[in-house]
Amino acid sequence: MSHLEISPRVGCDRFARELRPSERLQLSRASFEVAVGMAERLSGGPGTGDRSDSGLLDSVAVREFQLSLLHVCSVLSGEIQGWIAAAVECALDHSADLGDIASVTGVSRTEAYERWRRDETTRASLIVLSQPWTDALCLDNDRYENDRGWWRVGSNVRHDARYAIVVVDRRVSRVYLIDPTGWEPDGSGGRWRFQAFGATPLTDKQVASAVTRGHLPARIGDYFPAPADRGCTPWRFANSSTIWNGPL
């Protein structure tokens, strides 16, 4: 499996050092082992990958394993894009600039600007809250308290975010209209929770209306490519009617 080659970073000595070859190899092997293990689970049980490489499986079994591996890698890629988007927003909120982002991600400054610039038309306008499938077991009031926080969100996101979209198993489950004056810090000041107007989600009709006006990217029940595990990711509007998200 090929790997992304990151160009050497220039002028970034004050940040994390480059991975050593041995560390890159360790990361590659660990990631691949996780992906293969999950693909084996989906296709034929432990050892399927080894038997595929050794020619001990028939053509159908090899096909099923490789397709399972492709599926797992695709899901993992989506998760990583979500992590990248969250890390970029947090770094920008803590004095990093787009040159710093470009240097550590291996993209050009132009691409970093196109993907992550902040101006009056591309401010973070909502936050996406990923909740695991066990969310379905919660009572409504418990869901609201669980959705509110505590999240690591910077001052820019707290200032700009107007909606919170809750995604469960890649589907929009509920949407809150955030009270911009209602953010509360935890005891350490490192995490925050929001207050929603009415302390309740918007109705399906309200969400659909916001989508029509270009204020939201998805309706209740729509597919949404958010990370599967619990987390909070800022997302952006490109303008008032066309929406793009942080993870490209």
Side-chain angles (χ1 to χ4, degrees), residues 153-165:
V153 288
S155 58
N156 287 335
V157 174
R158 298 195 305 273
H159 178 270
D160 294 333
R162 291 296 175 262
Y163 293 92
I165 295 181

Side-chain angles (χ1 to χ4, degrees), residues 115-131:
R115 292 179 65 174
W116 296 305
R117 72 186 184 276
R118 287 175 167 177
D119 57 36
E120 288 302 312
T121 61
T122 58
R123 292 183 298 180
S125 56
L126 57 91
I127 55 176
V128 177
L129 309 177
S130 309
Q131 297 285 19

Side-chain angles (χ1 to χ4, degrees), residues 8-201:
R9 294 176 291 151
V10 178
C12 248
D13 292 340
R14 61 194 178 96
F15 300 124
R17 62 172 174 77
E18 185 61 87
L19 289 172
R20 299 188 180 96
S22 60
E23 293 169 330
R24 292 174 66 94
L25 180 61
Q26 181 183 8
L27 179 61
S28 174
R29 286 177 174 173
S31 304
F32 189 70
E33 286 176 4
V34 169
V36 168
M38 188 61 67
E40 289 178 341
R41 226 183 208 180
L42 298 178
S43 62
T48 305
D50 290 338
R51 296 199 302 276
S52 173
D53 292 340
S54 302
L56 300 178
L57 297 178
D58 60 33
S59 178
V60 173
V62 171
R63 181 196 68 191
E64 292 304 307
F65 170 73
Q66 294 299 335
L67 288 176
S68 296
L69 181 59
L70 179 61
H71 175 58
V72 170
C73 290
S74 298
V75 171
L76 184 58
S77 176
E79 294 293 307
I80 290 173
Q81 291 304 312
W83 302 339
I84 289 174
V88 166
E89 291 294 338
C90 187
L92 292 175
D93 276 342
H94 290 79
S95 76
D97 60 33
L98 290 175
D100 300 329
I101 302 300
S103 69
V104 298
T105 56
V107 304
S108 67
R109 288 175 177 264
T110 300
E111 184 178 352
Y113 175 81
E114 290 299 324
R115 292 179 65 174
W116 296 305
R117 72 186 184 276
R118 287 175 167 177
D119 57 36
E120 288 302 312
T121 61
T122 58
R123 292 183 298 180
S125 56
L126 57 91
I127 55 176
V128 177
L129 309 177
S130 309
Q131 297 285 19
W133 64 270
T134 48
D135 171 85
L137 305 178
C138 296
L139 299 176
D140 287 345
N141 187 59
D142 293 336
R143 281 201 191 103
Y144 174 58
E145 290 302 320
N146 193 36
D147 291 340
R148 293 179 62 199
W150 301 88
W151 308 109
R152 291 189 182 279
V153 288
S155 58
N156 287 335
V157 174
R158 298 195 305 273
H159 178 270
D160 294 333
R162 291 296 175 262
Y163 293 92
I165 295 181
V166 181
V167 178
V168 180
D169 197 22
R170 302 294 173 85
R171 296 285 174 179
V172 176
S173 178
R174 50 196 173 272
V175 178
Y176 299 99
L177 181 61
I178 296 174
D179 178 353
T181 66
W183 286 95
E184 304 170 355
D186 66 0
S188 68
R191 294 178 183 269
W192 296 76
R193 67 179 181 183
F194 66 87
Q195 289 185 5
F197 285 108
T200 187

